[in-house]
Amino acid sequence: MCGIVGYVGGKKAQDILVGGLRRLEYRGYDSAGIATLDDKNEAHITRSVGKIAELSKALESEPQTGHLGIGHTRWATHGGVTETNAHPHHAGNIYMVHNGIIENYKELKAELKDYKFASDTDTEVLAALIDSNYKDGISLKDAVAKSLKRIRGTYGIAVFSPKEPGTLVVARLGSPLIIGLGQGETLIASDASALLGYTREAIYLNDGELAVCTDKGAEVFTLSLKHLDSKPETIEGDLAQIQKGGYDHFLLKEIMEQATTLHNTLSGRIDPKAGKMHLGGPNLTEKEMRDIHHVVIVGCGTAYYAGLLASYYMEQLVPDLTTEVVIASEYRYRSFHLPKDSVALVVSQSGETADTLACLREIKKRGIKTLGIVNVVGSTIAREVDGGTYVHAGPEISVASTKAFTAQVVAMLMFAGMIAEYHGGDPKLIAEFTRELEILPAEIEKTLNDNRETMEKLAKKYSKFDHALYLGRDTAFPIALEGALKLKEISYIHAEGYASGELKHGPIALIDDRFFEVFTILDNWLFDKSCGGLHEVRARGGKTIVLTNSKADIEADDIVRIDSPIKLLMPILLNTLQQLFAYYVAVDRGNDVDQPRNLAKSVTVE
Ligand code: F6R
């Protein structure tokens, strides 16, 4: 949600800022801007509505020459999408970009009577507050620290002033900020991907910290201006991971590369010969594993659905375990209680989702052990959990989550497989899951390659419908929810996921010729019951697509059958087809698949 970049060094800041913003565009793409300080200490701001390409156009006619600057790509929270509301903002001697929400901005605005505000944003108010404190010889660092103490809300900020050329001040509370340390240059980014190719050494700022950055490096302080010893860490990943690699869209690349990324998720964590799974990250003793009797899984959107599917597997694998899967935005405000023998799995691709992070903190307050199921290394959730597992899916750039879902389910499954051994879990079942996990990457690859064209044709056939219902039972139910989410967010077709047993409790009333229905039907003991819903829909003239691994006769308008030795993990495999389907529907409708309207990756505001 919003991307921030900053630069101070010997190079032309504009090029580095715009290049960084392009990489962060997936975090927000309503509007963008940069501000730089030229060699005469004059500041210049260029902003534009729309994507970074618009900003680049604007900069062609008025290039900026300075060697220090800040940039921002916006996902609007306060104030509409206009050039005036775009960042950077400026008040007096302060130039600033901000990610997050200043909750008490109205109260502060009322106090700042000497300032005329051009925008409707909370950011401009913070810039004015800092400027109001930036006088009588007080330094920029001190003015920022003093001002931030008055803030209620969240922020990741980067600030400069013509009065202190060569200095960028940055700070964070609830919004990520990373300081890349280069040779004679320092870079700022809200996401490590903007730093790749420049440096591998970075300081991850913690909440409540502020840093003064110059071309020589960075010094970190608390808001009370106590100097901190911050150790630089190594940034993972490489440039190829954040490029499209020959695909038309990041989304297609991320769907198609799932065999490779899943291989990374599994690497060193399964032993198919012994029929066992083991995750090192949770760092649990045998006693701790034995003592777990309740697992609460927390997430938002796709991460929540991944948790839901994993909970079915956990129940199958661990006989004496109860599970609960909760939506983070709800759970954080509930008066929830957890038994002492609980463990919380906190699931997040970005590791920055504000609601999930808030839940993590609430759960920790109750003395419950928290384990992260996180993709982005060094992210806030990964840093705040007691232990956990990186899912190693690699950078997910497209806004819709695909490969992360697969990796999250598998990581949680391995957690279940590991603790099952200490809870009287059936060794044969654990071994069977392990065997399927071993072949899953290759089966995903085959399934995607074999069915890509079919899914494209199918997508063209259904892309003009207005509504879709996704239906599934048992482990196919979370997949129905996820399939509907994927379709709606990138195609803008209204889509709902339902447990197919719920059809006759309401949604069947919807069926008419504007709808199509996608049934995921597994070849298992519930096959006949799963077909029941399909018959009910067909009897009412519904248009049906069936995704299945069954060889039995099934009547539907379109059937996509998978022939695979995978059984238990079939929902994961079938879900990859839903991802392809959603992708091709969105392409056929001419949508911006990687950056769907109104959305942004990494929802760092509530
Ligand atoms: C859907 C999607 C979102 C995210 C949700 C959680 O495709 O991308 O629903 O899954 O915003 O994000 P993370 O996993 O980063 O916490």
Side-chain angles (χ1 to χ4, degrees), residues 300-303 347-351 353 399-401 408 485-486 489 603:
C300 298
T302 288
V347 192
S348 176
Q349 187 287 125
S350 61
T353 301
V399 164
S401 190
Q408 285 160 348
L485 176 61
K486 218 69 341 164
E489 69 182 323
V603 187

